[in-house]
Amino acid sequence: MTGKDILTALGGIEDRYIQEAEFGPKVIQGEFREKKTAPIRRVAKIAMIAAVLTMLLTGCAYAVLKVQDRMYEEITVTQHIGENGETIEPTEIIHLRYTPFGLTDGPIAKAYKEWNEYLDSLGDVPLTAEGIKDVPENLYFNYECFNTDMADKLLEITDKYNLTLLDTWCFAQEYQKDIMYDAMGIDGILRPGLEADVAEEPQGVFESNGNFEESKRITLTGADAIWREELYCTFTYAKKNTFWERMGSVTKDRYDQWNYTSADGTELLLILDQYGHATILADAEDGIIYIQVMFDSVKNKRSPSREGVEQVADIFNYQINTKPFDRAAVQQKLDERQQEYFDSLPKPEEPTWADYAEVMAEMNRQNLPEKQSYALYDINGDGVEDLLLGKGDGSFSEAYTIRDGKAQLLQHPYNDCYWVCENHTVEANTADPDLPGQMVYHFMAGADLQVVDDDLLIYQDGQWHRSRYWDNIVSEEEAQSVKDKYPHVNIEFKPSKDYLG
């Protein structure tokens, strides 16, 4: 669970807050830089998640080189996840750390090294309203500079090596991505004539200097397709002189790497790890392309072959050379398109119980009725009874409503649990099992269940904090007074099997 998971689930939070969560805590190219639920930069401790560790390799973008050409030091990390994704006893292992966009002796690698040594020297850096007051927006959101000293140091390092910093991101939903492609002067990330079913992920990020990242779910459908199950792909394009705060790490001798010429003639470096995940790297004129591909090897009980990875590599467009764009002008177009999209949505129709039958039937197919309970209750005050799914203790984990004549998720199960409160409000409790002693309380109100920002509560290290700033400490009594504003409603949940008859 990341900050972005929480914030994205709670509609009504400004884009800049979602952006903040997207880039911290960081699971970045295999390295997890831990940060507490309240945004606090913990730079001394590095935890590694082995199941995704080598999936996110970024290494040499030139086919004549190897991953090792960009490694520059050994690090000791703690592995918590086993080869099949299971939780194991913490085990210390040795990894090789490398830079994703430059050679070990190049300017980007040297800048990474200096910046991370500086961060390691700081220890914990709290996020405070006073601290970020004079920090440029892009340095705060993209590089987690929580005070002007950090910002000044970053500028000093990148100026020393003549590197460009990321601007503040533009976020584009599926229905807005054509605006971003047009602004950057590209046709997209997939090769024309592709025989595949493609599903867009909800959001891509695009930066005014031409850097971008987006994800898709792809299922190959051609007659010669080797891997026919769905793939999850993340495509990243970075200009070669960009300081994008990402570091890679890989366990020694646990991956296969080889060179391959793609269908469009691009020389690639392909990497396949022991967990059946792949990375594709390419040189693209002024930029570097790296693509992470997740094959669900555990579910499908097999791993992709070299030939299967090569076939997947052939579906992408490597002839990309983005151009800069005017962020303000593009953001205006994105906002206008978003309003058009919202205006086009049909108004909710009055539902009947039968409208939720397909949701419940799917539960039955998954053999869930014995574990789940349901209730029908209008949680947001829009006059539509919503379907709540829970465990029978009065809380719920998912909520469905009726939109466009069919059941759709109203509240995604990103938080540990939700509670219905009086006056059509909702309380969301979020806990991280990896960080005991922490709890986040979000309170949501209105038809769109927007977060009441003034009533955000965070409990950590024996203290209550009100709002996202770490220096806003409140007493136990004040925290309780906030929770008392949202008394729970006693709703009767029934066994799901009763609904299904």
Side-chain angles (χ1 to χ4, degrees):
M1 178 182 64
T2 69
K4 185 187 178 187
D5 292 332
I6 298 169
L7 297 178
T8 303
L10 302 177
I13 292 189
E14 295 180 82
D15 279 349
R16 62 193 184 93
Y17 294 154
I18 299 220
Q19 177 174 347
E20 173 188 337
E22 164 73 7
F23 296 99
K26 295 189 183 300
V27 182
I28 295 173
Q29 311 311 327
E31 179 172 344
F32 176 66
R33 190 181 292 280
E34 182 184 15
K35 184 167 62 176
K36 300 177 182 179
T37 305
I40 185 170
R41 183 155 197 158
R42 182 180 296 275
V43 298
K45 181 179 179 182
I46 299 176
M48 306 298 292
I49 303 179
V52 297
L53 184 65
T54 48
M55 175 193 73
L56 299 180
L57 286 171
T58 53
C60 168
Y62 308 91
V64 296
L65 299 176
K66 302 292 184 182
V67 175
Q68 292 90 332
D69 293 311
R70 300 198 171 196
M71 294 179 175
Y72 65 90
E73 66 178 341
E74 290 187 352
I75 54 174
T76 301
V77 300
T78 302
Q79 181 173 320
H80 297 273
I81 307 297
E83 294 187 4
N84 296 317
E86 74 280 9
T87 301
I88 62 173
E89 289 296 320
T91 304
E92 288 192 348
I93 53 178
I94 301 297
H95 283 259
L96 299 170
R97 186 159 66 183
Y98 60 92
T99 60
F101 307 131
L103 297 175
T104 297
D105 59 351
I108 293 179
K110 292 176 180 177
Y112 276 126
K113 191 172 182 66
E114 284 193 33
W115 177 240
N116 282 281
E117 286 175 351
Y118 169 72
L119 294 180
D120 290 341
S121 72
L122 295 181
D124 288 349
V125 181
L127 170 62
T128 66
E130 181 64 26
I132 67 170
K133 183 178 64 173
D134 297 319
V135 175
E137 185 180 53
N138 64 319
L139 303 190
Y140 167 48
F141 287 132
N142 296 337
Y143 300 97
E144 291 187 333
C145 292
F146 290 169
N147 55 53
T148 54
D149 287 342
M150 296 178 71
D152 290 344
K153 184 64 175 180
L154 178 61
L155 290 171
E156 173 191 323
I157 292 173
T158 52
D159 286 347
K160 176 180 178 180
Y161 294 104
N162 195 29
L163 301 176
T164 300
L165 290 166
L166 294 167
D167 191 6
T168 304
W169 292 99
C170 289
F171 294 86
Q173 303 297 327
E174 178 181 355
Y175 56 87
Q176 299 166 308
K177 287 183 179 179
D178 63 304
I179 295 175
M180 301 311 310
Y181 290 162
D182 182 64
M184 295 187 302
I186 64 174
D187 295 324
I189 66 172
L190 299 178
R191 189 165 56 86
L194 174 66
E195 291 186 276
D197 294 329
V198 180
E200 298 282 351
E201 285 297 289
Q203 188 167 255
V205 292
F206 302 85
E207 187 260 343
S208 62
N209 291 323
N211 304 286
F212 72 93
E213 181 170 279
E214 63 167 308
S215 299
K216 299 181 186 293
R217 287 175 285 116
I218 301 173
T219 304
L220 298 179
T221 58
D224 61 343
I226 297 173
W227 187 277
R228 293 180 172 273
E229 292 80 6
E230 186 178 72
L231 312 167
Y232 183 86
C233 309
T234 299
F235 187 106
T236 303
Y237 174 89
K239 293 290 187 180
K240 291 178 181 177
N241 65 337
T242 300
F243 186 74
W244 195 336
E245 195 199 11
R246 297 193 168 196
M247 259 192 320
S249 180
V250 57
T251 310
K252 291 182 178 179
D253 304 322
R254 291 195 180 182
Y255 60 94
D256 183 19
Q257 60 176 320
W258 69 100
N259 302 139
Y260 175 69
T261 302
S262 71
D264 68 0
T266 304
E267 298 299 319
L268 307 176
L269 175 62
L270 304 183
I271 306 162
L272 181 62
D273 73 19
Q274 63 176 337
Y275 306 108
H277 303 311
T279 299
I280 304 165
L281 301 112
D283 186 282
E285 296 189 32
D286 294 336
I288 292 174
I289 293 172
Y290 68 95
I291 307 164
Q292 302 115 49
V293 183
M294 179 179 288
F295 297 85
D296 196 340
S297 304
V298 175
K299 176 181 177 181
N300 295 291
K301 297 181 180 179
R302 66 187 180 99
S303 295
S305 62
R306 275 194 174 197
E307 292 75 16
V309 174
E310 290 170 358
Q311 193 174 72
V312 170
D314 282 337
I315 71 179
F316 294 101
N317 173 24
Y318 302 102
Q319 307 307 310
I320 288 178
N321 186 20
T322 62
K323 63 181 182 181
F325 59 83
D326 183 331
R327 182 176 178 274
V330 169
Q331 187 61 57
Q332 181 178 350
K333 291 181 180 179
L334 292 172
D335 293 342
E336 291 172 354
R337 178 68 63 80
Q338 183 180 61
Q339 189 60 52
E340 292 173 2
Y341 174 76
F342 287 156
D343 291 343
S344 70
L345 295 176
K347 304 300 181 184
E349 300 176 7
E350 187 66 26
T352 65
W353 283 33
D355 289 311
Y356 294 117
E358 180 58 31
V359 176
M360 304 302 284
E362 177 62 25
M363 290 179 56
N364 189 39
R365 287 192 289 269
Q366 298 180 27
N367 297 316
L368 295 177
E370 294 297 330
K371 305 175 183 178
Q372 295 254 26
S373 298
Y374 80 95
L376 290 166
Y377 188 86
D378 179 9
I379 62 175
N380 62 350
D382 65 356
V384 176
E385 277 195 318
D386 306 303
L387 172 66
L388 312 181
L389 300 179
K391 297 180 180 179
D393 61 355
S395 68
F396 66 94
S397 58
E398 295 180 62
Y400 290 82
T401 192
I402 300 298
R403 288 176 180 158
D404 196 17
K406 60 182 179 181
Q408 298 184 23
L409 274 168
L410 173 63
Q411 198 62 40
H412 292 261
Y414 286 107
N415 296 281
D416 295 314
C417 63
Y418 300 94
W419 297 85
V420 178
C421 303
E422 293 180 359
N423 301 317
H424 300 292
T425 59
V426 173
E427 172 190 315
N429 292 347
T430 304
D432 189 336
D434 294 327
L435 300 172
Q438 298 190 63
M439 181 68 74
V440 179
Y441 289 84
H442 299 91
F443 300 97
M444 297 172 285
D448 296 327
L449 292 181
Q450 294 186 347
V451 173
V452 183
D453 192 53
D454 291 341
D455 289 341
L456 171 64
L457 290 174
I458 300 170
Y459 180 77
Q460 188 166 311
D461 295 340
Q463 293 180 317
W464 284 98
H465 306 265
R466 189 169 180 176
S467 87
R468 64 194 180 100
Y469 296 116
W470 197 240
D471 54 348
N472 194 352
I473 301 174
V474 299
S475 65
E476 176 80 32
E477 291 74 20
E478 183 173 347
Q480 186 60 49
S481 70
V482 172
K483 290 187 282 186
D484 289 343
K485 292 166 59 177
Y486 301 89
H488 292 182
V489 175
N490 185 21
I491 298 177
E492 180 184 3
F493 279 76
K494 300 178 181 179
S496 295
K497 62 182 179 181
D498 291 355
Y499 186 104
L500 298 168

